[in-house]
Amino acid sequence: MDEKFRKQMEENGANIDTTLDRFMGNEALYMKFIMKFLEDKNYEALVENIEKDDFEGAFNSAHALKGVTANLGLDPINAQAAKITELLRNKQPEEVDVETLKKCREQLEEVYSRFQTIIRENKAQ
């Protein structure tokens, strides 16, 4: 992993050291999986489900995104996905705080986009 990429990731809140421990120090394996994150569809599914007021589907997508980002050390995305997961957990549609959900989704979009950009820029190298 090149130092520029590592620095960008860490400056934006990624937990590289702990994640590399999870990957047994294998940077090449970590890079393989971090690049695969560009193909992960959980974020898009989450946004789509929120837009359709499919809160159960949104919960499932947020929960899956939370798991993926936990494994990759993408802590800022993970934190926002966790907020959405808890906001929707065991809620009937009429019980969902839609305003708070909208704010959480906006915050998720900001951190998600930031990491997607960092990863894409470093994929080209």
Side-chain angles (χ1 to χ4, degrees):
M1 163 182 344
D2 101 350
E3 280 306 308
K4 177 185 162 225
F5 177 65
R6 183 184 185 112
K7 183 177 179 187
Q8 286 178 307
M9 294 288 281
E10 289 175 339
E11 285 176 349
N12 284 282
N15 189 339
I16 301 295
D17 289 333
T18 301
T19 306
L20 280 175
D21 286 345
R22 192 174 302 117
F23 282 83
M24 296 180 283
N26 188 334
E27 287 186 12
L29 185 60
Y30 173 74
M31 291 302 294
K32 176 182 175 183
F33 279 91
I34 203 75
M35 292 303 160
K36 281 182 132 334
F37 180 68
L38 294 172
E39 302 165 17
D40 185 83
K41 300 298 181 205
N42 288 303
Y43 172 77
E44 288 86 0
L46 172 60
V47 170
E48 183 179 312
N49 286 320
I50 290 173
E51 288 173 358
K52 294 189 308 189
D53 292 333
D54 176 359
F55 299 125
E56 183 177 348
F59 169 83
N60 291 333
S61 298
H63 192 269
L65 182 62
K66 186 176 83 156
V68 168
T69 56
N71 286 328
L72 295 175
L74 301 175
D75 294 353
I77 299 172
N78 180 269
Q80 292 304 318
K83 284 182 187 178
I84 293 172
T85 299
E86 292 312 309
L87 192 61
L88 297 174
R89 186 181 302 278
N90 299 320
K91 295 277 187 348
Q92 294 300 314
E94 63 276 3
E95 297 173 315
V96 173
D97 180 346
V98 178
E99 281 304 307
T100 302
L101 178 60
K102 180 182 174 192
K103 288 176 188 169
C104 288
R105 192 198 135 220
E106 289 168 358
Q107 292 169 340
L108 174 63
E109 181 178 5
E110 192 273 320
V111 294
Y112 181 85
S113 295
R114 190 173 346 131
F115 278 101
Q116 286 283 309
T117 299
I118 292 167
I119 296 166
R120 264 193 208 92
E121 285 174 355
N122 286 280
K123 183 177 186 176
Q125 296 177 358

